[in-house]
Amino acid sequence: MEAFLNKISDSGLDASSVTGEEALVFWNHVREHVATTPQEKAQSHVISAEFRTSLGQHQDGIAELRAALNLLALPQDANLILEVKGYLADRLVDQGDFSSALLEYISSSSIAVENSHIDDYVKAVIGMGNLCDAYGDHARALRYYQKIDGIDHAINSRSLRLRYKLYKLACLIDLNRIKPAEGLVKECEELSILVSDKVLSGQVHLYQAKLLRKCGKLDEAMQCLGLVKYAAGNINSNWLSNMIRMELGYCLTEAGKTHLANWVLESVYLRVKSSGSPILNLRLVDALASICELQNNFKKALEYQHNAYRIESDLMKKVPITELGSSQLRRLSRFELQLKLILSEIENRELKETTESQKHTVAQLRQDVFSDPLTGLHNRRWLDVKLKDLLINETPFALMVVDIDHFKSINDELSHLVGDKAIVAVSSELANYFRFKGSSCVRFGGEEFLVILENADIDKATLLAENYRDNIYHYNWRDVLGERGLTVSIGITLHREGENTQRTFYRADKALYRAKANGRNQVCSE
């Protein structure tokens, strides 16, 4: 996409200067006179579709996305096809065309498996589970979300991993499976610390409140709802805002404050009616019916129940629930075996490539292509080669993930230049401390670092990590940060014989989640 935008800029056009109907004319001109490849023409259709959606031209937007797909071909355009199909499925769901959306999810899941795209496969399975949720079949929805459990460690996007866990958590709560829900909400809370998304973090608080209410802890539940923060104007924020108010209504009702609950839910009802979300509307009228019944206002309760029945009947007609039955789940079960085979094949291919390209790798090392330019530590390219070498030689190792605490606030308050100086100081201490044989330091990205300790047990790794953490805590930060200090959190795990490195990193990452969740400036092992 970046190359395409540069091409547009080189032709003398400014894509950022147009909005609304003018943007539709602009991108049509680009498609006809600037785009020269099917991929570029498809990308212009996708951008036009976004503008049409913002203008309320929903069917035209869907047509643009279908036109984009018609320009693309497998296998060379698999990435773009999956991206467009994801957009298309979302638009179809928004328009209530659930059958067409399901076809896109089914198609996407097959393409994703055929082309080894784990994250896109997960998105498709989540989409199918969401359709079951829309129908009200939470048990079936849970079976779809559970299909992801076996490849959880292979999901690249932390945000996507958190989304899938939240959908699964919502089903557990709806099914009153409190114990497993309590365990999962803690995991979501830990993961949300590393995901910079206020809506997802807000959902964690929402489900915590639901669990507290179901356990009779109404005051704690309402306090939990008060912790939610979200930005206005975002469609997901609007959904969260309505869900928070609805949960507050339930809490007030069970606390005996039915008049307040009625006022809160009525205000949400007016907002939801205008948004046209049938699923949210159904939940709301069910809640309002319960409130009215508690107030002995049976006439009003009956009106809400009739409204709920009408919405539910309409959803049942539109959601293709029979096509989401056992045959579809069996198809996904077959995919699970294929996905495991894909992960194994990727690992084997990487090992073979490493063996065949060792001489080339040495040449690249000499050219300094494996070093991070800011810190001088090894980079991710070097890390890939190192991990393959460890696997080939069956060398046991501990993996340590080091993350600077509250680094974003350093950048925001003191500037990115100061943030870079802090990264350099942390990496310098890391390199100085772990300079003995069998240790390797890597800048993994941003404020995150990895340390590999060959032939180390968990006790030795923990002791080394604790000493390094203490060094950073007592480091003279005045010259770099003024009056402000700096700390790091560290997660540690041991590589297990026979497992791939993705799973090893996933477990170290989980230990880091826990270190962050427990208050930061500490070491946790998984």
Side-chain angles (χ1 to χ4, degrees), residues 109-129:
S109 64
S110 298
I111 294 170
V113 171
E114 289 166 9
N115 293 274
S116 304
H117 291 286
I118 302 295
D119 283 20
D120 291 293
Y121 174 77
V122 169
K123 290 174 187 176
V125 176
I126 286 175
M128 295 181 207

Side-chain angles (χ1 to χ4, degrees), residues 310-324:
R310 179 184 55 77
I311 298 168
E312 192 172 27
S313 298
D314 193 42
L315 277 172
M316 287 183 174
K317 291 175 185 175
K318 291 181 177 179
V319 177
I321 197 66
T322 54
E323 296 170 39
L324 287 159

Side-chain angles (χ1 to χ4, degrees), residues 20-294:
E21 294 284 354
E22 186 181 353
L24 299 179
V25 176
F26 176 90
W27 286 102
N28 185 61
H29 173 81
V30 167
R31 190 161 50 251
E32 293 181 358
H33 301 288
V34 180
T36 53
T37 66
Q39 293 79 11
E40 290 174 348
K41 292 180 184 293
Q43 286 171 334
S44 66
H45 273 301
V46 172
I47 296 171
S48 290
E50 291 179 7
F51 282 107
R52 289 192 184 279
T53 299
S54 67
L55 291 168
Q57 300 175 12
H58 300 293
Q59 292 304 321
D60 290 337
I62 289 171
E64 292 258 24
L65 292 172
R66 292 194 186 282
L69 289 173
N70 290 334
L71 290 165
L72 302 171
L74 290 167
Q76 64 268 27
D77 299 323
N79 282 341
L80 189 52
I81 287 173
L82 287 167
E83 183 181 343
V84 177
K85 280 183 170 290
Y87 293 147
L88 178 57
D90 288 343
R91 301 293 181 274
L92 291 167
V93 168
D94 290 340
Q95 294 305 299
D97 190 351
F98 301 121
S99 293
S100 296
L102 177 58
L103 292 177
E104 297 302 330
Y105 291 136
I106 292 171
S107 172
S108 292
S109 64
S110 298
I111 294 170
V113 171
E114 289 166 9
N115 293 274
S116 304
H117 291 286
I118 302 295
D119 283 20
D120 291 293
Y121 174 77
V122 169
K123 290 174 187 176
V125 176
I126 286 175
M128 295 181 207
N130 287 349
L131 291 180
C132 297
D133 261 334
Y135 188 82
D137 193 341
H138 305 303
R140 191 178 305 189
L142 182 61
R143 292 179 67 188
Y144 275 94
Y145 302 140
Q146 288 172 333
K147 292 293 180 185
I148 303 170
D149 290 346
I151 54 171
D152 179 6
H153 68 283
I155 300 174
N156 289 313
S157 167
R158 285 172 175 165
S159 176
L160 179 60
R161 184 183 294 139
L162 179 55
R163 280 176 49 210
Y164 123 74
K165 290 181 184 295
L166 286 169
Y167 286 127
K168 183 179 173 182
L169 174 58
C171 283
L172 290 172
I173 293 172
D174 286 330
L175 294 168
N176 284 317
R177 294 174 61 177
I178 304 302
K179 284 296 181 184
E182 287 176 339
L184 186 55
V185 78
K186 290 178 182 176
E187 193 174 339
C188 290
E189 185 179 13
E190 292 174 356
L191 183 53
S192 70
I193 295 171
L194 299 178
V195 177
S196 302
D197 190 312
K198 291 182 178 179
V199 174
L200 293 179
S201 297
Q203 280 183 254
V204 175
H205 289 307
L206 170 64
Y207 296 137
Q208 284 174 327
K210 282 178 175 286
L211 286 170
L212 288 167
R213 174 173 60 84
K214 285 180 177 288
C215 294
K217 301 175 182 178
L218 300 178
D219 289 339
E220 291 180 44
M222 287 187 274
Q223 287 173 8
C224 197
L225 294 174
L227 297 174
V228 177
K229 298 176 182 177
Y230 43 83
N234 178 292
I235 185 168
N236 294 318
S237 290
N238 291 337
W239 173 87
L240 178 61
S241 171
N242 289 325
M243 291 297 291
I244 290 294
R245 286 174 171 80
M246 201 182 308
E247 181 59 26
L248 178 60
Y250 276 115
C251 288
L252 289 169
T253 300
E254 293 185 20
K257 302 175 182 179
T258 51
H259 292 290
L260 277 176
N262 199 26
W263 176 78
V264 169
L265 293 174
E266 285 285 3
S267 67
V268 180
Y269 186 53
L270 295 174
R271 297 171 61 181
V272 172
K273 280 180 70 176
S274 62
S275 74
S277 169
I279 299 168
L280 198 58
N281 216 328
L282 177 59
R283 293 191 178 198
L284 187 56
V285 291
D286 276 336
L288 284 165
S290 299
I291 300 292
C292 291
E293 190 173 353
L294 286 171

Side-chain angles (χ1 to χ4, degrees), residues 352-409:
K352 289 177 182 177
E353 288 171 357
T354 301
T355 305
E356 293 167 359
S357 64
Q358 281 182 340
K359 290 183 180 179
H360 178 63
T361 298
V362 171
Q364 284 183 312
L365 276 167
R366 287 172 181 166
Q367 297 170 17
D368 204 28
V369 297
F370 290 107
S371 297
D372 175 63
L374 177 64
T375 64
L377 298 180
H378 298 305
N379 60 17
R380 292 181 73 162
R381 190 181 291 112
W382 180 92
L383 175 66
D384 290 340
V385 175
K386 179 65 176 178
L387 291 174
K388 291 170 191 173
D389 184 64
L390 291 170
L391 291 176
I392 288 172
N393 294 294
E394 299 183 349
T395 305
F397 65 92
L399 183 64
M400 185 183 303
V401 185
V402 181
D403 193 88
I404 300 175
D405 295 327
H406 300 299
F407 182 73
K408 185 177 183 299
S409 65

